[in-house]
């Protein structure tokens, strides 16, 4: 799965805006509205790629530009500072930014990792409890860290029970191949790379994001000031996602070609990678904002993530979940 976290690729995707004067007149002032969204290359953003390439924003009269970043850690500051109007982030980034004073808010969920992130190990290790005393390679304060912490907590353990090795997700396959570590946390395509080594006889997945659905969630964000002034633009972005996802469900093969063109991979690879993520439907949006201990809710996943961020000194205090999102536009769309 192409990484939304460290893909060295830069390009700009721009959706078309209606040019005819009559169309502009009928759409009013909104037709002249442009919006720049900060993002990275990630299979879970497929619905937005489809919306852009097939000009599904046309009916809203909004010109959308997706500004690609090579480092997702730069996007929160870009949104807060106004370099971009909105962004696509993992929810942990939102919690961290809000805790530090940013007014960015989640306006809708996009997708969550559904097996695309995983803890892999040698086959002699079959349970999380067997991690005790083992070297575990992972990237601190990243989705890999949250997945590992959740797995350990679910088994009555903490990070103190393992020997933490600071390593990028992309470095895990080489480290495991060399025998340097027996346990690593990474994401696709590195997960498949690891388990395919030695003919698939040596490594396997012990725990994955399928076991914690929603813990690693991608979201669409804007600053609360922007949402208040531009609700129709926010609505256009959300509707573009909904329409793009609808096209993907009705015409999966054609959608895969569109997404593959944007991401620079084959349509076959697109279909394979899509199995590791789950894109939420419009009917499921409300449950993401509902108070629940389930990790599919921002309240449930946020509690786990915030605790880890605070314990590691990334944030000084935990923000209220209500201060990390604004579902006002979604509520008007539902009506």
């Amino acid at each position: 799965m192409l990484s939304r976290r460290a893909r060295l690729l830069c390009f700009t995707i721009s959706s078309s805006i209606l040019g005819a004067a009559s169309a502009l007149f009928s759409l009013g002032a909104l037709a002249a509205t442009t919006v720049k969204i900060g993002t990275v290359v990630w299979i879970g953003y497929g619905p937005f790629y489809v919306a852009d390439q097939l000009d599904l924003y046309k009916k809203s009269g909004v010109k959308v530009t997706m500004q690609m970043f090579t480092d997702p850690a730069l996007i929160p500051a870009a949104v807060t500072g106004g370099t971009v109007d909105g962004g696509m982030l993992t929810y942990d980034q939102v919690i961290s930014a809000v805790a530090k004073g940013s007014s960015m808010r989640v306006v809708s969920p996009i997708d969550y990792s559904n097996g695309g992130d995983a803890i892999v190990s040698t086959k002699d290790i079959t349970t999380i409890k067997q991690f005790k005393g083992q070297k575990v390679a992972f990237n601190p304060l990243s989705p890999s860290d949250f997945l590992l912490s959740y797995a350990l907590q679910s088994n009555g353990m903490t990070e103190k029970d393992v020997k933490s090795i600071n390593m990028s997700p992309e470095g895990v396959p080489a480290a495991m191949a060399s025998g340097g570590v027996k346990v690593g946390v990474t994401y696709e395509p590195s997960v498949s790379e690891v388990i395919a080594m030695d003919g698939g006889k040596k490594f396997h997945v012990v725990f994955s994001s399928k076991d914690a659905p929603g813990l690693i969630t991608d979201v669409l964000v804007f600053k609360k000031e922007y949402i208040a002034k531009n609700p129709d633009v926010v609505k256009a972005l959300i509707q573009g996602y909904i329409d793009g996802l609808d096209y993907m469900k009705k015409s999966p093969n054609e959608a895969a070609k569109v997404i593959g063109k944007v991401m620079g991979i084959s349509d076959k690879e697109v279909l394979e990678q899509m199995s590791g993520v789950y894109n939420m439907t419009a009917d499921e949006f409300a449950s993401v904002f509902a108070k629940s201990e389930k990790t599919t809710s921002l309240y449930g996943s946020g509690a786990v993530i915030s605790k880890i961020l605070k314990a590691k000194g990334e944030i000084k205090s935990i923000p209220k979940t209500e201060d990390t999102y604004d579902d006002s536009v979604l509520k008007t769309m539902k009506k």
Side-chain angles (χ1 to χ4, degrees), residues 255-281:
K257 292 178 181 179
V258 173
I259 296 170
K261 180 181 178 182
V262 174
M263 298 182 69
I265 59 177
S266 69
D267 49 344
K268 180 181 178 182
E269 289 176 299
V270 169
L271 293 172
E272 290 174 347
Q273 292 180 23
M274 284 175 61
S275 65
V277 298
Y278 179 77
N279 285 103
M280 275 76 88
T281 65

Side-chain angles (χ1 to χ4, degrees), residues 23-329:
L24 284 170
F25 179 78
S26 64
L27 285 169
L30 184 59
T33 302
T34 61
V35 58
K36 183 181 290 185
I37 305 297
T39 186
V40 290
V41 176
W42 172 239
I43 189 66
Y45 300 155
F48 287 107
Y49 299 153
V50 170
D52 179 83
Q53 295 296 298
L54 299 185
D55 203 14
L56 301 183
Y57 295 114
K58 184 176 182 179
K59 63 184 180 182
S60 298
V62 176
K63 182 177 181 180
V64 180
T65 298
M66 290 188 182
Q67 181 63 53
M68 291 295 172
F69 285 70
T70 57
D71 185 353
L74 299 176
I75 299 178
V79 174
T80 300
T83 303
V84 294
D85 300 304
M88 298 176 196
L89 308 169
T90 46
Y91 184 49
D92 59 281
Q93 290 179 288
V94 179
I95 293 174
S96 182
V98 171
K100 296 172 183 176
S102 173
S103 65
M104 73 167 62
R105 300 289 186 266
V106 175
V107 295
S108 76
I110 301 174
D111 68 273
Y112 61 73
S113 181
N114 190 40
D117 294 75
I119 304 175
V120 289
S121 74
T122 50
K123 287 193 173 180
D124 59 303
I125 296 176
T126 58
T127 67
I128 301 298
K129 289 187 179 297
Q130 288 177 281
F131 288 4
K132 190 174 181 63
Q134 292 286 347
K135 293 180 180 179
V136 180
F138 66 96
N139 188 20
L141 295 173
S142 73
S144 293
D145 191 349
F146 305 132
L147 185 65
L148 174 63
S149 294
Y150 182 81
L152 292 172
Q153 290 175 16
S154 298
N155 285 271
M157 301 168 66
T158 70
E159 198 174 305
K160 293 180 180 179
D161 292 307
V162 301
K163 298 176 181 178
S164 300
I165 305 297
N166 188 332
M167 187 175 295
S168 71
E170 293 81 8
V172 170
M176 297 190 74
S178 69
V181 295
K182 298 180 69 173
V183 184
V185 191
T186 186
Y187 46 75
E188 292 289 13
S190 295
V191 173
S192 293
E193 183 181 343
V194 171
I195 61 178
M197 292 177 183
D198 293 333
K201 298 178 181 179
K202 189 173 182 180
F203 302 104
H204 70 146
V205 172
V206 182
F207 190 91
S208 81
S209 50
K210 278 188 177 180
D211 300 302
L215 182 64
I216 303 173
T217 295
D218 287 291
V219 294
L220 178 64
V221 305
F222 290 90
K223 289 193 295 184
K224 64 180 183 181
E225 297 87 354
Y226 187 92
I227 299 169
K229 293 180 180 179
N230 304 278
D232 287 337
V233 177
V234 176
K235 178 181 178 181
L237 264 294
I238 297 174
Q239 190 60 55
Y241 167 88
I242 293 172
D243 292 342
L245 182 59
D246 183 59
Y247 183 87
M248 288 170 63
K249 290 180 179 296
K250 291 179 178 177
S251 306
N253 293 327
E254 290 303 312
K257 292 178 181 179
V258 173
I259 296 170
K261 180 181 178 182
V262 174
M263 298 182 69
I265 59 177
S266 69
D267 49 344
K268 180 181 178 182
E269 289 176 299
V270 169
L271 293 172
E272 290 174 347
Q273 292 180 23
M274 284 175 61
S275 65
V277 298
Y278 179 77
N279 285 103
M280 275 76 88
T281 65
D283 290 337
E284 295 171 314
F285 285 173
S287 64
V288 176
F289 299 103
K291 290 186 178 181
S292 171
E293 294 183 356
K294 295 180 179 179
T295 48
T296 47
S297 160
L298 295 184
Y299 287 86
S301 63
V304 176
I305 294 169
S306 296
K307 184 177 180 181
I308 295 170
L309 291 174
K310 189 172 186 297
K312 295 192 174 185
E314 177 65 12
I315 60 177
K316 294 181 178 180
S317 60
I318 297 175
K320 294 180 180 178
T321 303
E322 292 86 349
D323 292 336
T324 66
Y325 72 84
D326 182 342
D327 59 347
S328 59
V329 174

